[in-house]
Amino acid sequence: MAAGPMAPLIAAFACVFLAVFPPVASGDAATLESVPDLVKAMYVNVDSFPCVRLLNRSGQIGCSNPGQDKIVAPIVRAGNINYQLFQPSAVLLPLDQMTDFFLRVSNEPELSHKVAGVLVESNGVDKNVLELSPDRKFPQQAFAPYSDLSHHWNPAGSGIMWNRYDFPVFLLSEESTQTLQKLADKNEKTTNGYLANVAEFDLVMQTTKAGTHDSESCLKEQTCLPLGGQSVWASLPPISNSTSNHQKPIIMVTASQDSASFFRDRSLGADSPISGLIALLTAVDALSHIHDLSNLKKQLVFAVFNGESWGYLGSRKFLQELDEGADSVNGISSLMIGQVLEIGSVGKAISQGYPLFYAHTAGNSAISKKMVDALQSASESLGSDNVKVKPAALSNPGVPPSSLMSFIGKNTSTSGLVLEDFDSQFSNRFYHSSLDDPANINSSSIAAAAALIARSLYILASADLPIDLITLNTIKVNVSLVEELIGCLLKCDPGLSCGMVKSFIAPSNSCPSHYVGVFQDLPSGTQFPSYADDISRFIWNFLADRTSSLSGNSSSCTGKCHDEGEVCVGAEVEGGGRCVVSMTRYVPAYSTRLKFEDNLWHVLPANSSDPLSAADPVWTESFWNTIGLRVYAVQTTAFDWFVLLIGMIITAASYLAVIVGRSYISKIIKRD
């Protein structure tokens, strides 16, 4: 009976509400038809790259929300506040101020407590940052095979990536940088003291929620996983298991495939170390066209190590597998390795118009001298290409940070050489930063290094045999291959969607990242492990292809081949791959102080037979549910009071309408 008289009151209420809160339109004709539409109109998701929480045996580094909840804070520009914060704020930080800001935050607790989060601007097109390296001045010095640890290999190093920050930090994309700058400008123009644009940080780490503050506790509580991945090695020509008793001395040629950065997914490492990886792959390609390698006195083995930025995980695990005679290294042994030649950072060697490289040696002086002599002979054979190589300065304390340190640490008599584009200090001013990108390297420098390596390996493998100069001079690198590999491994366009990569694997992402990732379970096999990232799978297929000889039947395959000694190249490609004769294997890369048992990772005591075991940090990465960053506007206090007043008026009017309506209805009923 009362429904009829109340309808006009409800309609009146709706009219008042719509007059005060008109519908929000997205675009000219867009309407909000659902809750997701409303959320999309209110919130802007920000394209960005997070700094995450990592742990080791002694503590934590990296970034995380301080508690279990999201963080919401007003956006302020760092340049306009001189780091003087009056309330918890989301600091919009120019990249060239990053080092200074984080050093101050680490040394000033009062400032740190006012930092709710940090939004680091991308470098953009200005490229006004001259140097930025968040690593230390002597990276991974605990693994150095010498006592002088005061040498500054990395003079630009600040060490800020090794500190713990109890607030979220994100690196913005170029587009997001412009968006956040506009929002910060709007906040500055607000005159009533209320900042209307805020950032919402979702960077809650499971280790923070569980209170696990080191690797051992978080592995036990299963709130983290160890850093790790897959390394790859291959022999050229393929080693035959049937001749294992008559194998030749091995020349081990190594490079690294992973880098590090303050920001997890912006670890490109163009010069350090991917330029060396590209040089190795290009040198293998050049040598694969030589048909008499089996007649040489020494065996070439190429290894690409993963996890080298985090305690030399790949090289140290490789050496452990050799000691244990694991299936992953079947066919070779540590006793067979006579020389180690590592290709380090070689992307910035163009000096005074020509490439100049430096040979950093270790071990037996006579063998090391032969390696330098081989490089210089290769340099002379290149003639008009004018590629130069010099021995590194004797004043250096030893070899620079490199995988060779693992070999020396395992066996101090190891003879080896690291080829670099620097003498006493890194030429890379962006070591382990997001700015070590393709613009930081020169493809001509990498091609020159590949040519130098390829020819010197032919000379070294010939040993005391007369050098066949005709064959030596036919060893030429494919310069276009260098350019293609740079595009595939260091750029998003084409990135891992390039033709070369897709001829071998089905990549999961287009944009490459050289962060090592986490090791998820025990290795399941040397050819097809359960977990191998895109980069490792590409390297495996590339090396298997270039170091192979076709099998007799050349049959198609999608997994294992029938004949022993054969592997399936391109198994992921539509239509299947092909069986080839190749000795190419995956090797797990994770801490030698970890053991997987009873479905749990366990930290082992230091191994007395491994001098570097005590220095192993045992790095792990925290779990998280989601990582997100978004921005939105909050209303001014004046509008809040206005909404409250309107609400009170509507409430009072509604109450009055009910009273009047009831009185009116009562009179109608009495009259009837």
Side-chain angles (χ1 to χ4, degrees), residues 233 239 241 244-245 247-252 299 301 318-326 328-340 407 411 583:
W233 72 272
I239 296 173
N241 287 332
S244 58
N245 295 328
Q247 288 183 349
K248 307 171 185 177
I250 287 175
I251 300 173
M252 177 72 66
Q299 174 71 49
V301 172
F318 176 81
L319 291 169
Q320 184 187 58
E321 297 274 285
L322 284 175
D323 283 350
E324 296 174 353
S328 61
V329 291
N330 184 30
I332 59 175
S333 74
S334 56
L335 296 176
M336 296 159 54
I337 300 174
Q339 296 160 298
V340 180
F407 287 85
N411 181 358
M583 177 65 80

Side-chain angles (χ1 to χ4, degrees), residues 639-651:
F639 190 82
D640 291 341
W641 283 108
F642 174 71
V643 171
L644 178 62
L645 178 61
I646 291 297
M648 294 175 65
I649 291 173
I650 291 175
T651 301

Side-chain angles (χ1 to χ4, degrees), residues 14 37 207-208 211 215 272 318 326 339 387 397 435 491 559 602 613 636 656 663 670:
D37 287 342
T207 51
T208 302
S215 288
S272 308
F318 176 81
Q339 296 160 298
V387 180
L435 297 183
K491 299 178 180 178
H602 302 272
S613 179
T636 62
L656 181 61
S663 175
K670 287 180 180 180

Side-chain angles (χ1 to χ4, degrees), residues 408-421:
I408 299 171
K410 190 71 175 176
N411 181 358
T412 55
S413 63
T414 300
S415 295
L417 180 151
V418 187
L419 189 71
E420 302 276 11
D421 57 15

